[in-house]
Structures are given as structure tokens and as C-alpha cells.
Amino acid sequence: VGAWGYHAGRGVFLDLPPGLAAVPEAPGKADAERALDVLLGPFKGYIADRNARDMLRLRCGFTAVVLTAVLRPSLPTASAILLDAEVAGAGKGKAARALGVIATGRLPAMVTEGHAEEETEKRLASAILAGSPAILLDNLQRTLASSALESGLTEDYATIRIFGKLVDVTVPCAALVLATANNAALRADMLRRTLPVRI
């Protein structure tokens, strides 16, 4: 990071709002625990009132996804975040929207499934081409399989066929990718590029 928070390699600028708490020069365990409590504050309703094993699993899961979401602009690649549950109404969409707002300051671009896999791929491609900082694949019903998304998650760019033409374009892809589903199904290549949290 160079002067004034500009990172030339990633082409991003860090603009911290005034009034943030100072970071200790040598933070200790108590400092880290306080910071983690703040980080997990928006998700405490998902973690509380469960057995000890589930509380620990969800605490670790939400820690991983919040850190991934916040750090996404500075990372060349990052896993997609999948919020999954057994039943509808578990709060997956609310948690995904909260992650988008925490990471970018606004709601993620919503992408719903089309009537076929090809239509879903086109909708994803549009969001990537638009440069959306966060993309939410909401309420997936079918197996998630997207070559453009898979390359964008692991290669720092996505190659997309321009609609109606025999021309491919390669564009940067630094979007935070979020997905929600009940009992999600993912293609093997997508599965290894995904960080799941089961609510």
C-alpha cells in the first residue's frame, strides 16, 4: 500500500472513515476477542441459543465469511460464500445481505436463477461485466455450475462470451460472491471454490 492508502497492484484505494478506534501497536488476546465480538455482532442471533458444538461451528463459520467479505477487495482471489440451511426462512438472505453491506456499504447485486443453466450464466455474466462489488445468487434451486464464476473466483478474471456474438472478453473479477440455498447442490469445481456456512 502506497501513500494515502492507494494499492497500485489491485487498483484500490483504502478510505477509512473518521472516528475509527485506534489499533494497538501490540494487540493481545483480549484485544482480538473484543474485535471478534464486534465483527460477529450482526450475526449473534444465528450463533446464540444453540448447543456448544453448533455455537462453535457457526462462530468459526461467520468469522471466516466476514473476514473474507471485508478483505475481498484486497485479495486477488477469494472463495464464494454459501449460506445454506435445511429449511426456508432460516435467515440466509438476511445474513448474505448483511455481509454485502458490511463489505461494500451497500446491498449486493441480486442474481436469480433463470429458466435454464444458460440463462443463469448470462445473468451472472451481466453482474460481472457491470463490475458489481458484491453479487448475491439468491435462493438457488438447481445445481450451481458457472464457468465464468469459477474462473473469476480463482483466476482474478472472468472470460465471458458477449451475448449474441462469437466474441469473448476477459474482465477483472474482484466481486464478493454470495449464494443462498436450501440444501445446496454445487458442481465439483464450484464446491472447491466455496466457503459454506450451514445455518
Side-chain angles (χ1 to χ4, degrees):
V1 176
W4 307 107
Y6 180 69
H7 189 285
R10 297 287 302 146
V12 295
F13 180 77
L14 178 63
D15 183 19
L16 296 175
L20 290 178
V23 176
E25 282 295 320
K29 183 177 180 181
D31 297 310
E33 288 173 347
R34 279 192 299 277
L36 183 58
D37 285 341
V38 171
L39 191 72
L40 294 178
F43 307 100
K44 62 184 176 185
Y46 296 94
I47 299 168
D49 300 325
R50 298 183 182 250
N51 65 52
R53 181 179 176 189
D54 282 346
M55 285 178 67
L56 180 59
R57 176 183 59 82
L58 286 166
R59 188 172 168 86
C60 291
F62 275 110
T63 299
V65 298
V66 173
L67 289 173
T68 299
V70 170
L71 294 172
R72 179 60 182 112
S74 68
L75 301 173
T77 61
S79 299
I81 294 169
L82 171 65
L83 298 163
D84 183 41
E86 190 172 320
V87 296
K92 303 174 297 293
K94 185 177 179 181
R97 286 169 181 81
L99 286 166
V101 170
I102 289 168
T104 68
R106 61 186 185 192
L107 291 171
M110 299 292 290
V111 175
T112 56
E113 284 181 319
H115 58 275
E117 185 178 310
E118 296 79 19
E119 180 63 24
T120 303
E121 183 82 351
K122 288 178 184 177
R123 293 177 185 190
L124 273 168
S126 291
I128 293 169
L129 287 170
S132 302
I135 300 169
L136 172 54
L137 296 138
D138 196 32
N139 198 26
L140 296 172
Q141 304 292 318
R142 293 190 301 273
T143 300
L144 177 59
S146 168
S147 297
L149 187 57
E150 289 165 2
S151 67
L153 289 169
T154 55
E155 303 299 329
D156 199 20
Y157 60 85
T159 301
I160 296 169
R161 169 76 40 98
I162 297 298
F163 309 134
K165 298 183 179 180
L166 295 176
V167 176
D168 288 343
V169 295
T170 300
V171 295
C173 183
L176 169 65
V177 178
L178 305 156
T180 65
N182 293 323
N183 302 309
L186 286 79
R187 182 166 70 182
D189 281 344
M190 191 67 206
L191 184 61
R192 66 187 183 87
R193 294 169 165 89
T194 303
L195 177 58
V197 176
R198 189 157 174 90
I199 298 174

